[in-house]
Coordinates of all heavy atoms in Angstrom, one line a residue:
A13 N 119.0 89.6 81.6 CA 120.1 90.5 81.9 C 120.2 90.7 83.4 O 121.4 90.7 83.9 CB 119.9 91.9 81.2
T19 N 124.2 87.0 88.9 CA 124.9 85.7 89.1 C 126.4 85.7 88.6 O 127.2 85.1 89.2 CB 124.1 84.6 88.5 OG1 124.0 84.8 87.1 CG2 122.7 84.4 89.2
H38 N 120.6 85.8 68.6 CA 121.7 86.7 69.1 C 121.4 88.1 68.6 O 122.0 89.1 69.2 CB 123.1 86.2 68.7 CG 123.4 86.4 67.3 ND1 123.1 85.4 66.4 CD2 124.0 87.3 66.6 CE1 123.5 85.8 65.1 NE2 124.0 86.9 65.3
Y42 N 119.1 93.6 70.0 CA 119.3 94.8 69.3 C 118.0 95.4 68.8 O 118.0 96.6 68.4 CB 120.4 94.6 68.2 CG 121.7 94.3 68.6 CD1 122.2 93.0 68.7 CD2 122.6 95.3 69.0 CE1 123.4 92.7 69.2 CE2 123.9 95.0 69.5 CZ 124.3 93.7 69.6 OH 125.6 93.4 70.0
E49 N 125.2 99.7 76.2 CA 124.9 100.8 77.2 C 123.4 100.9 77.3 O 123.0 101.2 78.4 CB 125.5 102.1 76.7 CG 125.4 103.2 77.7 CD 125.9 104.5 77.3 OE1 126.2 104.7 76.1 OE2 126.0 105.5 78.2
R61 N 114.4 102.1 90.5 CA 113.0 102.0 90.8 C 112.8 101.1 92.0 O 112.0 101.3 92.9 CB 112.2 101.5 89.6 CG 112.2 102.4 88.4 CD 110.8 102.6 87.8 NE 110.9 103.5 86.6 CZ 110.9 104.8 86.6 NH1 110.7 105.4 87.8 NH2 110.9 105.5 85.5
E62 N 113.6 100.0 92.1 CA 113.5 99.1 93.3 C 114.0 99.9 94.5 O 113.4 99.7 95.6 CB 114.4 97.9 93.0 CG 113.8 97.0 92.0 CD 114.6 95.7 91.9 OE1 115.5 95.4 92.8 OE2 114.4 94.9 90.9
L76 N 110.0 110.6 113.0 CA 111.0 111.0 112.1 C 112.3 110.2 112.3 O 113.0 109.9 111.3 CB 111.4 112.5 112.3 CG 110.2 113.5 111.9 CD1 110.6 114.9 112.2 CD2 110.0 113.3 110.3
E77 N 112.6 109.9 113.5 CA 113.8 109.1 113.8 C 113.8 107.7 113.1 O 114.8 107.3 112.5 CB 114.1 108.9 115.3 CG 114.3 110.3 116.1 CD 113.1 111.0 116.5 OE1 112.0 110.6 116.0 OE2 113.2 111.9 117.4
L81 N 116.2 106.3 110.2 CA 116.9 105.0 110.3 C 116.4 104.0 109.2 O 117.2 103.3 108.6 CB 116.6 104.4 111.7 CG 117.1 103.0 112.0 CD1 118.6 102.9 112.0 CD2 116.5 102.5 113.4
T89 N 120.7 98.1 102.7 CA 120.2 96.7 102.5 C 120.1 96.4 100.9 O 120.5 95.3 100.5 CB 118.8 96.5 103.1 OG1 119.0 96.7 104.5 CG2 118.3 95.1 102.8
F98 N 123.7 97.5 92.3 CA 124.1 98.8 93.0 C 125.4 99.4 92.4 O 125.4 100.6 92.2 CB 124.3 98.5 94.5 CG 124.7 99.7 95.3 CD1 123.7 100.6 95.7 CD2 126.0 99.9 95.8 CE1 124.0 101.7 96.4 CE2 126.3 101.0 96.5 CZ 125.3 101.9 96.9
M101 N 124.7 101.0 89.0 CA 123.9 102.3 89.1 C 124.7 103.5 89.3 O 124.3 104.6 89.0 CB 122.8 102.1 90.2 CG 121.7 101.2 89.9 SD 120.9 100.5 91.4 CE 120.3 102.0 92.2
F102 N 125.9 103.3 89.8 CA 126.8 104.5 90.0 C 128.1 104.4 89.3 O 129.2 104.8 89.8 CB 127.1 104.6 91.6 CG 125.8 104.8 92.4 CD1 125.1 103.8 92.9 CD2 125.3 106.1 92.5 CE1 123.9 104.0 93.7 CE2 124.1 106.3 93.2 CZ 123.4 105.2 93.7
V130 N 114.8 114.3 104.4 CA 115.6 115.3 105.0 C 114.8 116.6 105.2 O 114.9 117.2 106.2 CB 116.9 115.6 104.2 CG1 117.6 116.8 104.7 CG2 117.8 114.4 104.3
V131 N 114.0 116.9 104.2 CA 113.1 118.1 104.3 C 112.2 118.0 105.5 O 111.9 118.9 106.2 CB 112.4 118.4 103.0 CG1 111.3 119.4 103.1 CG2 113.4 118.8 101.9
S172 N 129.6 88.3 106.8 CA 128.3 87.9 106.4 C 127.4 89.1 106.1 O 127.6 90.2 106.7 CB 127.6 87.0 107.4 OG 127.3 87.7 108.5
L189 N 120.9 109.6 116.2 CA 121.1 110.2 117.5 C 121.8 111.6 117.3 O 121.4 112.6 118.0 CB 121.9 109.3 118.4 CG 121.2 108.2 119.1 CD1 122.1 107.1 119.6 CD2 120.3 108.7 120.2
R195 N 117.2 111.9 120.5 CA 115.8 111.6 120.8 C 115.5 110.2 120.2 O 114.4 109.8 120.5 CB 114.9 112.6 120.2 CG 115.0 113.9 120.9 CD 114.0 115.0 120.4 NE 114.2 115.4 119.1 CZ 113.4 115.1 118.1 NH1 112.3 114.3 118.3 NH2 113.6 115.4 116.8
L196 N 116.4 109.5 119.5 CA 116.0 108.2 119.0 C 116.1 107.2 120.2 O 117.0 107.1 121.0 CB 117.0 107.8 117.9 CG 116.7 106.4 117.3 CD1 115.4 106.5 116.5 CD2 117.8 106.1 116.3

Side-chain angles (χ1 to χ4, degrees):
T19 58
H38 71 274
Y42 293 98
E49 186 182 13
R61 296 227 183 270
E62 288 183 14
L76 291 175
E77 293 90 345
L81 174 64
T89 299
F98 181 76
M101 288 156 60
F102 297 97
V130 171
V131 169
S172 74
L189 281 165
R195 293 186 292 113
L196 184 64

